[in-house]
Amino acid sequence: MRCSRRARTSCSAMASSRNSPPADQAVAAVNAVLAAALIEHVNPGASLAIALSGGIDSIVLLDAAAALATRHPVNLSAIHVHHGLSPNADRWADFCAAQCTARSVPLATHRLRLSRERGSSLEAQARSARYERLLAADVDVVALAHHADDQAETVLLQLLRGAGPQGLAAMPAFRPGHPALLRPLLELPREALAAYAAARALNWIEDESNADRRHARNFIRHEIAPVLAARFPGYPATLVRAARHQAHMAVLADALASLDAVGAVDETGLSRDHLAALPPARARNLLRWFLREEGLRPPSEARLSDMMRQLVSAGDDARIRIAQDSAEIGAHRGRIAVHAPAAPSFECVWHGESEVSLPRGVLAFERARGGGLAAAKLERTQVTLRPRRGGERIRLAANRPTHTVKKLLQDAHVPPWEREGLPLIWSDDELAAVPGIGVALAFQAAPDEPGWRVEWRPATRHPG
């Protein structure tokens, strides 16, 4: 760990190419944007937590917030996420604790336990886990210390990824929620924060990983941004402004999608016919909006085009399964739906529990009289719960023929992905009941006979 003091130029990759503002002007600028953000977004008496890494940016935010808290009363605290990736991580946590103690600010430290996962770097996991911890904080608002240079770097990264308006809007200054996310310093350049730190004689730590140019953001920060700042004096403010314009465009695109969704989107999903009837650009916009509303990340342009082709062009009887994130996109009876991926196979013995948790939901049993499964027949056999394997048949009434379970589920309009996770109830080797469909005639409780009513409670349609 390296503790720094008085904002040396090594702490700002671009300080050498731009003139830093005077100290008193920098302090006033930081205080002004923070005060304006608190007035606009944080109610008096609300709980506000600073996301504190110990770096110069978050230390500046902590220092300014602690000073302003007396004039704009909030319940101020700080959160430090100890990712454990650096040999200095313990000392960083101690440093953050000392800085908070000096300002009488309560600190919560969260230690991560990361393990390398296939296809994901530890750094990416650490970033994701950090945000998870911040978003799980029991506070009204979490304040992050991102500034204009961070925003400009994000815009450049999104441009290089071919992002649309949503991506090019980069980081919002405020995101509602519980907790809400607030970025009060987003309009100020890094050099203004460095000048504030110098004026206030602040200490901070330097994360050695920020100098590693193998990471795309660090490469832009150290190699590209100084060149842009030297050639274009308006950098990074011009890219911050561009991000605002893109945010406005994203809002308009969402507003158009909301209009197009009227009569097309309901609890069963998105209408295929409605999607096919829209002009291509509006159809892609609606599908992208629908997937985001369902909790999925936006697909790439090529993947979105492939989704459109499958979802619009496939026949009504075609089985569509498109994997996206940890979910699947399917179609049934003219509706596009997001659902959980195929359930893993399962088989378990029922021992009389009132509820049995299964991969795709909960099967509930309730004692009854004169209805449901005959309790006496179940007591003499082994009752097993397992999904369909194909070919199962059941007779539900004396005046009705035996039907395949598949046909009964189809007639009941149960989507294919829900059929896969539906547990069938077996008594030894006989099919006794299909939850939601009925009880086999041979296993139905007679009038006044003790029985079990069963109810299938499917899990949410998709994770998250």
Side-chain angles (χ1 to χ4, degrees), residues 283-300:
R284 288 194 296 272
N285 183 57
L286 176 59
L287 180 58
R288 189 183 294 110
W289 174 88
F290 172 72
L291 295 179
R292 192 172 70 251
E293 289 292 301
E294 291 291 316
L296 303 185
R297 292 177 299 178
S300 67

Side-chain angles (χ1 to χ4, degrees), residues 332-333 406-415 419 436-437:
H332 179 65
R333 297 182 60 81
K406 179 179 180 179
K407 185 178 188 311
L408 290 171
L409 292 173
Q410 288 175 333
D411 292 345
H413 307 319
V414 179
R419 300 174 209 161
I437 299 298

Side-chain angles (χ1 to χ4, degrees), residues 228-291:
L228 292 176
R231 180 64 180 83
F232 302 98
Y235 181 91
T238 49
L239 290 191
V240 173
R241 186 166 65 249
R244 283 200 301 273
H245 294 330
Q246 293 300 315
H248 296 157
M249 293 300 298
V251 169
L252 292 175
D254 281 352
L256 178 60
S258 296
L259 291 174
D260 287 336
V262 175
V265 176
D266 59 22
E267 67 278 0
T268 65
L270 167 63
S271 166
R272 292 177 67 190
D273 289 343
H274 190 102
L275 189 67
L278 288 172
R282 287 175 64 173
R284 288 194 296 272
N285 183 57
L286 176 59
L287 180 58
R288 189 183 294 110
W289 174 88
F290 172 72
L291 295 179

Side-chain angles (χ1 to χ4, degrees), residues 419-441:
R419 300 174 209 161
E420 294 172 350
L422 180 69
L424 307 186
I425 302 173
W426 294 80
S427 175
D428 287 338
D429 294 327
E430 293 184 79
L431 179 57
V434 180
I437 299 298
V439 176
L441 180 62

